[in-house]
Amino acid sequence: MDIRIINPNTTTSMTALIGRCAQAAAASGTRITAVSPKMGPASIESHYDEALSVPGILEEIRHGERDGADAYVIACFGDPGLYAARELAHGPVIGIAEAAMHMASLIGNSFSVVTTLERTVGMAWHLAERYGMRHACRNVHASDLPVLDLEKPGSNARQIILEACRSALAQDRSDCIVLGCAGMADLCEDLSAELHVPVIDGVVAAVKLVEALVGMRLSTSKRGDWARPLPKPYTGMLAPFALA
Amino acid sequence: MDIRIINPNTTTSMTALIGRCAQAAAASGTRITAVSPKMGPASIESHYDEALSVPGILEEIRHGERDGADAYVIACFGDPGLYAARELAHGPVIGIAEAAMHMASLIGNSFSVVTTLERTVGMAWHLAERYGMRHACRNVHASDLPVLDLEKPGSNARQIILEACRSALAQDRSDCIVLGCAGMADLCEDLSAELHVPVIDGVVAAVKLVEALVGMRLSTSKRGDWARPLPKPYTGMLAPFALA
Amino acid sequence: MDIRIINPNTTTSMTALIGRCAQAAAASGTRITAVSPKMGPASIESHYDEALSVPGILEEIRHGERDGADAYVIACFGDPGLYAARELAHGPVIGIAEAAMHMASLIGNSFSVVTTLERTVGMAWHLAERYGMRHACRNVHASDLPVLDLEKPGSNARQIILEACRSALAQDRSDCIVLGCAGMADLCEDLSAELHVPVIDGVVAAVKLVEALVGMRLSTSKRGDWARPLPKPYTGMLAPFALA
Amino acid sequence: MDIRIINPNTTTSMTALIGRCAQAAAASGTRITAVSPKMGPASIESHYDEALSVPGILEEIRHGERDGADAYVIACFGDPGLYAARELAHGPVIGIAEAAMHMASLIGNSFSVVTTLERTVGMAWHLAERYGMRHACRNVHASDLPVLDLEKPGSNARQIILEACRSALAQDRSDCIVLGCAGMADLCEDLSAELHVPVIDGVVAAVKLVEALVGMRLSTSKRGDWARPLPKPYTGMLAPFALA
Amino acid sequence: MDIRIINPNTTTSMTALIGRCAQAAAASGTRITAVSPKMGPASIESHYDEALSVPGILEEIRHGERDGADAYVIACFGDPGLYAARELAHGPVIGIAEAAMHMASLIGNSFSVVTTLERTVGMAWHLAERYGMRHACRNVHASDLPVLDLEKPGSNARQIILEACRSALAQDRSDCIVLGCAGMADLCEDLSAELHVPVIDGVVAAVKLVEALVGMRLSTSKRGDWARPLPKPYTGMLAPFALA
Amino acid sequence: MDIRIINPNTTTSMTALIGRCAQAAAASGTRITAVSPKMGPASIESHYDEALSVPGILEEIRHGERDGADAYVIACFGDPGLYAARELAHGPVIGIAEAAMHMASLIGNSFSVVTTLERTVGMAWHLAERYGMRHACRNVHASDLPVLDLEKPGSNARQIILEACRSALAQDRSDCIVLGCAGMADLCEDLSAELHVPVIDGVVAAVKLVEALVGMRLSTSKRGDWARPLPKPYTGMLAPFALA
């Protein structure tokens, strides 16, 4: 099974980290290809960044389709371009916020999300609402770490996230932690060991969910909202995005 | 007051129609500029089209900021790029679905949305949910008209929309109609006269709402989710979108 | 355009203040008439006061209809008698809580309400629920100021409200402030300057919304719940309220 | 135990009918006094009628307090003035819509409301929402009978209501019926016998609930929203409503 | 009227306490029989305990049916087996959480639940959600008292519960208290006297509600979800539970 | 990986069918053991049946723990005993309704449930509500087939279910089908081929989800509601259920 993981930002060191975490968790028959778009923002920390990550994501989906990928993971906690990607792809497409929240709701009565900057808190709540997870999501906590500091030596990222998790569990009386950024994937196991509660990383959760869906021979329904887009003219810089 | 109305598709005849309807409803001191993006889809009928309309919308917001526009209307019923646009603009930004639903809720206990293709029904429900309008939105009805047929002579668009409205009012026992596409703006008055209920077109609703906000000297709060995006590198075709 | 603003309490100095704020924000062609009922409570701080403000409000609506008013604003944050007023009037009728909450939701992802006495907090929540604004309303905060102290020299009202706003923003991590009493209308600009976030006063918001609706030639749908009341006998002191 | 039942309209034949049904269901030690206001509408079929029934209701509550009533029932399906009445009374106050919906939710997984005119349907939904009964209320059905026709010989009311109930049960797949008007109280037993499902009349439900509350020595909390109104001046025709 | 109160745990001293509180509140014509199951857990503090209390509860319902009981109360705040019991019984069946929450919502705008162990908090929230009481339930507070300590001399239970109530009222700004365990029934009056707000015990609330329902000749609808179970084979230890 | 699938009813032919479907979908390293309880109902078609299936389920969980099972599936669409089972087990426990609804929400914007008897419709809605899936669940449709008829030659079950699915898709305008009974597992592939939409069987969905969770080394959080039950005495027939 070929799973393409799209890191929606263009920071390739983060793409590599995501790829390693994904491969480590994948089933033996699963081949992971982690890619970054050829265009767009270096990190996603606003609706502006998120919106402009989408053309690059959709280009990668088209490459994946050309190459025969079986399924896709969109590895940014805002799940950018998820529904558009579903319209394009033959196989299933899962976002990491979606994956993490669903998985968390199966092993805890409630969860807390620990994310990066305060300004992304609203996005996380919108997704919880959209996915039917508002009842399970006790709160969303910002650690005030910029996304790219997660990888920066000396940023003390691990310690800051750990403290944010501890404080979230205490305040929210919640059962588990959802990590709110793909760049935290490599901290997951360690945090869980320290906190003695399940910690859910969306990258791995999404890999396992698409493996499950492909294993069930299920993919996005083409009957309704997510049918293949109608062909039509596209102009300007985006002309190559026109579908046949 | 300078209001820039962005028709997110690249069909300039629709942009002109939208501009005429907007200008007709604007206050005497309001100057309307209706624009289309320089890139993107000819019409918006999928999440794919919607996602790829956003770079062009954001470019127009940047042009508007350069030119000193006071406020913006995004004139597609999916409200594409609304939150990203709010992050960029100094003045208020309103989407037409948002505008129409809020206005409808002030003059009726409930409304029915009449839209174009069946596949856009889910998008309209997502917006109703997001804006707190699920209690007021009785249902969303597809007329099965493609967006660009609205302008096509011989498409019988007016009659098809009228019948869809009649049937929506009867089925939903609702108090008024919300038109689910910017391309229906010119039908509004006529439909209302035939149906004897208020018919709300989002283009005009959004123009009046931004006039109201500017009149109150109110604009998007920069304290939270919609603060100005942080500067960062953008690469590839989207490099020009990097903010200083 | 003739807008009648009804201050539901009988304190005429507050009516004058409301009228001044409304006129200052109105469009050039708008004529504001601010009135108080000829009967009822000096201030509204309970469901009892609110219920007994309604006959006076409805009498003012009837006077407005006689005089050809184009639209109405009910200037008390409980929006008393709103639906009954809509049944009576030809033009649109807007309550200030409704107006402020809708406007706030267009410029912020969330808002905090700052109101007068603790006992009015529940009313504000009921309205947020009714208008579909529970998702946007982070909390309602009492300043513990009685309504009429807002105008009393030496009550320190401005400072008390300012502190309540500051504390609300900090606790709620919200994007803007909604003022929970018509008597705070004159503080709005000043508070916004100090707090560096949008502060929304419902009186001005409602004036701009009815201007917008009248500009769109929209009024309350007479198809459903808010059709004109059926004629019928009324007895006792309320006999004059019988409609022909 | 002295229970005062207030029929909010001034039609005394309906008051007598309500009193008879209430007394028939009351416990042996309960004394029922059914009263009509001295002012207000002959029937309640709009928000306007409802709002103007409230002064008369509150006057009756004050008479009840003077006379030492133990509890009150407000016998109109819109529950007019309920919260204001709670502020005034020492004993509990229950509305018949509230009573019927709560009782129905204890004996069925879902209920259908059968009411009078179409225009009252929205009011019933607002109450279901307010009381937390939206999940249980499958739908609200108008029988198109004006309130006072319920008592009119030759109106065929019994048959029309029966048919409306049958059709509601079939359409809604619901477990029981809630009668949406106090004037239907005397039909309850007969309808239940014909339909073979529980039929809940709010008048009797409210009598039994206030008996239960008084039996538990419980009454409205005076800590929050429903504390006694503050004394203040009232003017004009409503001056007598000022509280000491 | 014969009311059977089933204490779902097998601790007979608690059954006796529940019986005394119930009888003290019952109407003069009501005969209370408080029973414990012949099988199951000594106290209910987990979903496991709760699930295994149900066979014993259902056996008691069958005994009640054999003996001609008119109605049933399930006296554990998790309302175990409530819907199964309704399928079996001819008369109404009420759980104490359900009873307490409904009664609380009639006398306060909001309530706080004070319960035993932290691990039962989630169950209470699930019930609040199920019964439509999420809007009224401000929060659920654990006192960290194990159930059987409520009766243990020297456990200081009364003081611990009192403090938990005080703190709940202060934190939640709620109007009344719902006691979250049948074993607290005897503290109700005393707590109310100290706290000056209504305190609702579910045992007494349920007794009064079933008296009310029986007085209205209402019982569980047999039309839908709660129809009598179909006869079918049961095997093993549970073979005696097969219905004819 | 050892997965124990518990068919909560005692009909072993259905257990065998479930086991075959599960094994066919399992990963190569997964060993499926399908078991039936030694006690309880032959089929589950009421809350009574469901409640009495739980002791047998919990006994099987204890056997599984003794034998070192890695995870559990509860294979009845009511998800009986799910939370109690989670308290007992070291590995994850998933119900098939939960599994099917979550999976459906990842591949469709909405789903329809097709189930057996009308009286189970309410249970399915309760679960949709509990799992946050009310927004995605368009409706629940009864096929009026008793559970055990699914396996009965000559019952025409396949055709009846197919028709129910077709009619559900047409009425609900939904994107996919969720099968509402474990006994339908073997029809899944065939139905999907005929209907041209994804059809989700909960048995297979649950197997793939527990494989995913075990693959992520995640299990039920023991911090909150689902901590291991406290040891305590159990009496009577259920004494063997006491935990050490």
Side-chain angles (χ1 to χ4, degrees):
Chain A
M1 187 187 314
D2 269 349
I3 299 178
R4 195 144 298 196
I5 302 187
I6 303 169
N7 168 24
N9 73 38
T10 57
T11 300
T12 53
S13 55
M14 189 175 287
T15 311
L17 177 155
I18 289 169
R20 281 194 307 274
C21 292
Q23 190 65 65
S28 58
T30 301
R31 188 150 54 94
I32 299 289
T33 313
V35 297
S36 299
K38 300 299 162 290
M39 59 178 105
S43 64
I44 299 182
E45 296 167 321
S46 62
H47 293 94
Y48 182 80
D49 293 338
E50 192 175 301
L52 290 164
S53 73
V54 177
I57 293 169
L58 296 176
E59 190 178 58
E60 292 306 319
I61 299 277
R62 294 182 76 183
H63 294 170
E65 291 297 288
R66 178 198 62 200
D67 303 345
D70 293 299
Y72 301 87
V73 169
I74 298 179
C76 167
F77 204 78
D79 294 354
L82 180 61
Y83 294 169
R86 282 191 179 145
E87 290 175 337
L88 271 189
H90 286 89
V93 186
I94 302 285
I96 66 168
E98 178 184 48
M101 291 187 194
H102 281 279
M103 285 308 212
S105 80
L106 298 174
I107 57 170
N109 194 47
S110 61
F111 58 82
S112 300
V113 177
V114 172
T115 185
T116 54
L117 300 184
E118 177 73 23
R119 63 182 296 157
T120 67
V121 168
M123 293 188 220
W125 272 116
H126 286 153
L127 295 178
E129 185 75 57
R130 174 70 60 91
Y131 302 145
M133 293 294 137
R134 179 170 276 273
H135 68 294
C137 181
R138 285 271 168 87
N139 211 346
V140 181
H141 300 259
S143 63
D144 283 327
L145 264 183
V147 168
L148 297 183
D149 279 15
L150 285 168
E151 306 196 292
K152 201 173 285 177
S155 72
N156 204 18
R158 186 192 161 285
Q159 198 56 34
I160 290 170
I161 303 292
L162 178 63
E163 285 316 310
C165 291
R166 259 200 242 284
S167 139
L169 289 166
Q171 273 177 55
D172 300 352
R173 306 188 308 176
S174 55
D175 294 356
C176 51
I177 292 286
V178 163
L179 297 177
C181 180
M184 299 176 187
D186 58 340
L187 302 175
C188 182
E189 203 169 337
D190 190 27
L191 291 170
S192 185
E194 293 235 25
L195 295 164
H196 304 295
V197 298
V199 176
I200 296 101
D201 156 50
V203 174
V204 169
V207 167
K208 302 312 283 182
L209 275 175
V210 293
E211 286 181 346
L213 287 167
V214 172
M216 295 171 76
R217 268 172 277 167
L218 285 177
S219 185
T220 307
S221 175
K222 291 299 175 180
R223 184 173 191 264
D225 274 43
W226 299 327
R228 186 165 174 81
L230 303 172
K232 66 183 56 169
Y234 270 65
T235 52
M237 190 166 87
L238 297 172
F241 284 89
L243 301 175
Chain B
M1 188 187 312
D2 266 349
I3 299 178
R4 194 146 298 195
I5 302 188
I6 303 169
N7 168 23
N9 74 37
T10 56
T11 301
T12 52
S13 55
M14 188 176 287
T15 311
L17 176 155
I18 289 169
R20 280 193 308 275
C21 292
Q23 190 65 67
S28 58
T30 300
R31 187 151 55 95
I32 298 289
T33 313
V35 297
S36 300
K38 301 298 163 287
M39 58 179 105
S43 64
I44 298 182
E45 295 167 322
S46 62
H47 293 94
Y48 182 80
D49 293 338
E50 192 176 301
L52 289 164
S53 74
V54 176
I57 293 170
L58 296 176
E59 190 178 59
E60 292 305 319
I61 299 279
R62 293 182 75 183
H63 293 170
E65 290 297 287
R66 179 198 61 201
D67 303 345
D70 293 299
Y72 301 86
V73 169
I74 298 179
C76 167
F77 204 77
D79 293 354
L82 179 62
Y83 295 170
R86 281 189 181 149
E87 291 175 337
L88 272 189
H90 286 89
V93 186
I94 301 286
I96 66 168
E98 178 182 49
M101 291 187 195
H102 281 279
M103 285 309 212
S105 80
L106 299 174
I107 57 170
N109 193 48
S110 62
F111 59 81
S112 300
V113 177
V114 172
T115 183
T116 54
L117 299 185
E118 177 71 24
R119 64 180 297 158
T120 67
V121 168
M123 294 188 220
W125 272 116
H126 286 155
L127 295 178
E129 186 75 57
R130 173 70 61 90
Y131 302 143
M133 293 294 137
R134 179 171 276 273
H135 67 295
C137 181
R138 286 272 168 87
N139 211 346
V140 180
H141 301 260
S143 63
D144 283 325
L145 264 183
V147 168
L148 297 183
D149 279 17
L150 286 166
E151 305 196 293
K152 201 174 285 177
S155 71
N156 204 18
R158 185 191 162 285
Q159 197 59 31
I160 290 170
I161 302 293
L162 178 64
E163 285 316 310
C165 291
R166 260 200 241 284
S167 140
L169 290 167
Q171 274 177 54
D172 301 352
R173 303 189 309 176
S174 54
D175 295 356
C176 50
I177 292 286
V178 164
L179 297 177
C181 180
M184 299 175 186
D186 58 338
L187 301 175
C188 182
E189 202 169 340
D190 189 27
L191 291 170
S192 186
E194 292 236 26
L195 296 163
H196 303 296
V197 299
V199 176
I200 295 102
D201 156 50
V203 174
V204 168
V207 167
K208 301 312 282 183
L209 275 174
V210 293
E211 287 181 346
L213 287 167
V214 173
M216 294 170 77
R217 269 172 277 169
L218 286 176
S219 186
T220 306
S221 176
K222 290 300 173 180
R223 184 174 190 263
D225 274 42
W226 298 328
R228 185 163 175 84
L230 302 171
K232 67 183 54 168
Y234 271 64
T235 51
M237 189 166 88
L238 297 172
F241 283 89
L243 301 176
Chain C
M1 188 187 313
D2 267 350
I3 299 178
R4 194 146 299 196
I5 302 188
I6 304 169
N7 168 24
N9 74 38
T10 57
T11 300
T12 53
S13 54
M14 188 175 289
T15 311
L17 177 156
I18 289 169
R20 281 193 308 272
C21 293
Q23 190 66 64
S28 58
T30 300
R31 188 149 55 94
I32 299 290
T33 314
V35 297
S36 298
K38 300 299 161 290
M39 57 177 107
S43 64
I44 299 182
E45 296 168 320
S46 62
H47 293 94
Y48 182 80
D49 293 339
E50 192 175 302
L52 290 164
S53 74
V54 177
I57 293 169
L58 297 176
E59 189 178 62
E60 292 305 319
I61 299 279
R62 295 182 73 184
H63 293 169
E65 291 297 288
R66 178 199 62 201
D67 302 344
D70 293 298
Y72 301 86
V73 169
I74 298 179
C76 167
F77 203 77
D79 293 354
L82 180 62
Y83 294 169
R86 282 189 180 148
E87 291 174 337
L88 271 189
H90 286 88
V93 186
I94 302 285
I96 66 168
E98 178 183 49
M101 291 187 194
H102 281 278
M103 284 309 211
S105 81
L106 298 175
I107 57 170
N109 194 46
S110 62
F111 59 80
S112 300
V113 177
V114 172
T115 182
T116 54
L117 300 184
E118 177 71 24
R119 64 181 297 159
T120 67
V121 168
M123 292 188 220
W125 272 117
H126 286 154
L127 294 179
E129 186 75 58
R130 173 68 62 90
Y131 302 144
M133 293 293 137
R134 178 171 277 272
H135 68 294
C137 181
R138 286 271 167 88
N139 212 346
V140 181
H141 301 259
S143 63
D144 282 326
L145 266 183
V147 169
L148 297 183
D149 278 16
L150 285 167
E151 306 197 291
K152 201 174 284 176
S155 72
N156 204 17
R158 185 193 162 285
Q159 197 57 32
I160 290 170
I161 302 293
L162 177 64
E163 285 317 310
C165 291
R166 260 199 239 285
S167 139
L169 290 167
Q171 274 177 54
D172 300 351
R173 305 188 307 176
S174 55
D175 295 355
C176 50
I177 293 286
V178 163
L179 296 177
C181 180
M184 299 176 186
D186 58 340
L187 301 176
C188 182
E189 203 170 337
D190 190 27
L191 291 169
S192 186
E194 293 235 25
L195 296 163
H196 304 294
V197 298
V199 176
I200 296 101
D201 156 50
V203 174
V204 167
V207 166
K208 302 311 283 183
L209 276 174
V210 293
E211 285 181 347
L213 288 167
V214 172
M216 295 171 75
R217 269 172 279 168
L218 285 176
S219 185
T220 308
S221 176
K222 290 300 175 180
R223 184 173 190 264
D225 274 43
W226 299 328
R228 186 164 176 82
L230 303 171
K232 66 182 56 168
Y234 270 64
T235 51
M237 191 167 87
L238 297 172
F241 283 89
L243 301 175
Chain D
M1 188 188 311
D2 268 350
I3 299 178
R4 194 146 298 194
I5 302 188
I6 303 168
N7 168 23
N9 73 37
T10 57
T11 300
T12 53
S13 54
M14 188 176 287
T15 311
L17 176 156
I18 289 169
R20 281 193 308 274
C21 293
Q23 189 66 64
S28 58
T30 300
R31 188 151 54 94
I32 299 290
T33 314
V35 297
S36 297
K38 301 299 161 290
M39 58 177 107
S43 65
I44 298 182
E45 296 168 321
S46 62
H47 292 95
Y48 182 80
D49 293 339
E50 192 176 300
L52 290 164
S53 74
V54 177
I57 293 169
L58 297 176
E59 190 178 60
E60 292 306 318
I61 299 279
R62 295 182 75 185
H63 293 168
E65 291 297 287
R66 179 197 62 201
D67 302 346
D70 293 299
Y72 301 86
V73 169
I74 298 178
C76 167
F77 203 77
D79 294 354
L82 180 61
Y83 294 170
R86 281 190 180 147
E87 291 176 336
L88 272 189
H90 286 89
V93 186
I94 301 287
I96 66 168
E98 178 183 48
M101 292 187 194
H102 281 279
M103 286 306 213
S105 80
L106 298 174
I107 57 170
N109 194 47
S110 62
F111 58 80
S112 300
V113 177
V114 172
T115 183
T116 53
L117 299 185
E118 178 71 24
R119 64 182 296 158
T120 68
V121 167
M123 293 187 220
W125 272 117
H126 286 154
L127 294 179
E129 186 75 58
R130 175 68 62 90
Y131 302 145
M133 293 294 138
R134 177 170 278 271
H135 68 294
C137 181
R138 284 273 167 86
N139 211 346
V140 180
H141 301 259
S143 63
D144 282 326
L145 265 183
V147 169
L148 297 183
D149 279 15
L150 286 167
E151 306 196 291
K152 201 175 284 177
S155 72
N156 203 18
R158 185 191 161 286
Q159 197 57 32
I160 290 170
I161 302 293
L162 178 63
E163 285 317 310
C165 291
R166 259 199 241 284
S167 139
L169 289 167
Q171 273 177 54
D172 300 352
R173 305 187 308 175
S174 55
D175 295 354
C176 51
I177 292 286
V178 163
L179 297 177
C181 180
M184 300 176 186
D186 58 339
L187 302 175
C188 182
E189 203 170 336
D190 189 26
L191 291 169
S192 185
E194 293 235 25
L195 296 163
H196 304 294
V197 299
V199 176
I200 296 101
D201 156 51
V203 174
V204 167
V207 166
K208 301 312 283 184
L209 275 174
V210 293
E211 285 181 347
L213 287 167
V214 172
M216 295 171 75
R217 270 171 278 167
L218 286 176
S219 186
T220 307
S221 176
K222 290 300 173 179
R223 184 175 191 260
D225 274 43
W226 299 328
R228 186 165 175 81
L230 303 171
K232 66 184 54 167
Y234 270 65
T235 51
M237 191 166 87
L238 297 172
F241 283 89
L243 301 175
Chain E
M1 188 187 313
D2 267 350
I3 299 178
R4 194 146 298 195
I5 302 188
I6 304 169
N7 168 23
N9 74 37
T10 57
T11 300
T12 53
S13 55
M14 189 175 287
T15 312
L17 177 155
I18 289 168
R20 281 193 308 274
C21 292
Q23 190 66 65
S28 57
T30 300
R31 187 152 54 95
I32 298 290
T33 313
V35 297
S36 299
K38 300 299 162 289
M39 58 179 104
S43 64
I44 298 181
E45 295 167 323
S46 62
H47 293 93
Y48 182 80
D49 293 339
E50 191 175 301
L52 289 163
S53 73
V54 176
I57 294 169
L58 297 176
E59 191 178 59
E60 292 306 319
I61 299 278
R62 293 181 75 183
H63 294 169
E65 291 297 288
R66 178 198 63 200
D67 303 345
D70 293 300
Y72 301 87
V73 169
I74 297 179
C76 167
F77 204 78
D79 293 355
L82 180 61
Y83 295 170
R86 281 188 181 150
E87 291 174 337
L88 272 189
H90 286 90
V93 186
I94 302 285
I96 66 168
E98 177 184 47
M101 291 187 195
H102 281 279
M103 285 307 212
S105 80
L106 299 174
I107 57 170
N109 193 47
S110 63
F111 58 82
S112 300
V113 177
V114 172
T115 182
T116 54
L117 299 185
E118 176 72 23
R119 64 181 295 158
T120 67
V121 168
M123 293 187 220
W125 272 117
H126 286 155
L127 295 178
E129 186 75 57
R130 173 69 62 90
Y131 302 144
M133 294 292 137
R134 179 171 275 271
H135 68 294
C137 181
R138 286 271 167 88
N139 211 347
V140 180
H141 301 259
S143 64
D144 282 325
L145 264 183
V147 168
L148 297 183
D149 279 16
L150 286 167
E151 304 196 293
K152 200 174 286 178
S155 71
N156 203 19
R158 185 193 161 284
Q159 197 58 33
I160 291 170
I161 303 293
L162 178 62
E163 285 316 310
C165 292
R166 261 201 240 284
S167 139
L169 290 167
Q171 274 177 52
D172 300 352
R173 304 190 307 177
S174 55
D175 295 355
C176 51
I177 292 286
V178 164
L179 296 177
C181 181
M184 300 176 187
D186 58 339
L187 302 174
C188 182
E189 203 169 337
D190 190 27
L191 291 170
S192 185
E194 292 236 25
L195 295 164
H196 304 295
V197 298
V199 176
I200 296 101
D201 156 50
V203 174
V204 168
V207 167
K208 302 312 283 182
L209 275 174
V210 293
E211 286 181 347
L213 287 167
V214 173
M216 294 170 76
R217 269 173 276 167
L218 285 176
S219 187
T220 307
S221 176
K222 289 300 174 181
R223 185 175 190 263
D225 274 43
W226 299 329
R228 186 164 174 81
L230 303 170
K232 67 183 54 168
Y234 270 65
T235 52
M237 190 166 88
L238 296 173
F241 283 90
L243 302 176
Chain F
M1 188 186 313
D2 267 349
I3 298 178
R4 196 146 295 197
I5 302 188
I6 303 169
N7 168 23
N9 73 37
T10 58
T11 300
T12 53
S13 55
M14 188 175 286
T15 311
L17 177 155
I18 289 169
R20 281 194 307 275
C21 293
Q23 190 65 66
S28 58
T30 300
R31 189 151 54 93
I32 299 289
T33 314
V35 297
S36 299
K38 301 299 162 289
M39 59 178 104
S43 64
I44 299 182
E45 296 168 322
S46 62
H47 293 94
Y48 182 80
D49 293 338
E50 191 175 300
L52 290 163
S53 74
V54 177
I57 293 169
L58 296 176
E59 191 179 58
E60 292 305 320
I61 298 279
R62 294 182 73 183
H63 293 169
E65 291 297 288
R66 180 198 62 200
D67 302 345
D70 294 299
Y72 301 87
V73 169
I74 298 179
C76 167
F77 203 77
D79 295 353
L82 180 61
Y83 294 169
R86 282 190 180 147
E87 291 174 338
L88 271 189
H90 286 89
V93 186
I94 302 285
I96 66 169
E98 178 184 48
M101 290 187 195
H102 282 278
M103 285 307 212
S105 80
L106 298 174
I107 57 171
N109 193 48
S110 62
F111 59 80
S112 300
V113 177
V114 172
T115 183
T116 53
L117 299 185
E118 176 73 23
R119 64 181 295 157
T120 68
V121 168
M123 293 188 221
W125 273 115
H126 286 154
L127 294 178
E129 185 76 56
R130 174 68 61 90
Y131 302 145
M133 293 294 136
R134 179 171 277 273
H135 68 293
C137 181
R138 285 272 167 86
N139 211 347
V140 181
H141 301 259
S143 64
D144 282 326
L145 265 183
V147 169
L148 298 182
D149 279 16
L150 285 167
E151 305 196 291
K152 200 174 286 177
S155 71
N156 204 18
R158 185 192 161 285
Q159 197 57 33
I160 291 170
I161 303 293
L162 178 63
E163 285 316 310
C165 291
R166 260 200 240 286
S167 138
L169 289 167
Q171 273 177 54
D172 300 351
R173 304 188 308 176
S174 55
D175 295 355
C176 51
I177 293 286
V178 163
L179 297 177
C181 180
M184 299 176 186
D186 58 338
L187 302 175
C188 183
E189 202 170 338
D190 190 27
L191 291 170
S192 185
E194 292 236 25
L195 295 164
H196 305 294
V197 298
V199 176
I200 295 102
D201 156 50
V203 174
V204 168
V207 167
K208 302 311 284 182
L209 275 174
V210 293
E211 286 181 346
L213 287 167
V214 172
M216 295 171 75
R217 270 172 278 167
L218 286 176
S219 186
T220 307
S221 176
K222 290 299 173 179
R223 184 174 191 261
D225 274 42
W226 299 328
R228 186 163 174 83
L230 303 171
K232 66 183 55 168
Y234 270 65
T235 52
M237 191 166 87
L238 297 172
F241 283 89
L243 301 175

